[in-house]
Amino acid sequence: MSIQIRAIPSDNLVALAPQLNGLYIQTGSVDHNGRLVTGHFQEARLMEDGQRIAIKLTRYMNGKHVLDSVVVPAGNDPLGNPWRTAIHMPSDSALLAQLDTSASTSVAA
């Protein structure tokens, strides 16, 4: 099975959470050891301040799978581009086709 990687706006993680469940994600955040926080997506929610998104994921750490969480920025970066999170999906995923369709229509608009 081949895998496609899509960097989607982090704001979309909350709305797409049911479809992303179990998929491998790569955030731009690092843990206390300086390793990128990556793992299998469990859930996402917008935090009370509206500026951050809390993500729960399972990751392999220190020889075992653990439930972990990370906070990623919501909204746009200082240049006006949306903060993004990379999602690894099977090439035949319906979600992949949906994301590609929405990206091409937003570019054309």
Side-chain angles (χ1 to χ4, degrees):
M1 169 190 337
S2 66
I3 300 293
Q4 297 283 324
I5 300 173
R6 292 293 184 272
I8 64 170
S10 295
D11 291 348
N12 293 354
L13 294 175
V14 177
L16 294 173
Q19 294 169 287
L20 298 175
N21 192 22
L23 292 178
Y24 193 80
I25 68 166
Q26 223 174 313
T27 70
S29 301
V30 295
D31 65 12
H32 63 280
N33 290 320
R35 296 178 295 213
L36 280 175
V37 177
T38 63
H40 294 276
F41 186 89
Q42 299 296 315
E43 67 178 53
R45 67 178 174 81
L46 187 63
M47 296 188 71
E48 292 176 8
D49 63 8
Q51 300 297 310
R52 299 172 296 158
I53 297 169
I55 300 172
K56 282 187 185 174
L57 49 88
T58 54
R59 61 191 286 216
Y60 191 74
M61 192 164 61
N62 299 327
K64 56 186 163 182
H65 286 93
V66 296
L67 185 61
D68 201 359
S69 61
V70 64
V71 175
V72 297
N76 295 333
D77 66 17
L79 297 175
N81 300 311
W83 293 105
R84 295 181 176 273
T85 300
I87 309 291
H88 298 223
M89 304 176 220
S91 294
D92 60 353
S93 169
L95 179 58
L96 183 62
Q98 175 187 344
L99 291 173
D100 287 346
T101 301
S102 65
S104 63
T105 51
S106 65
V107 170

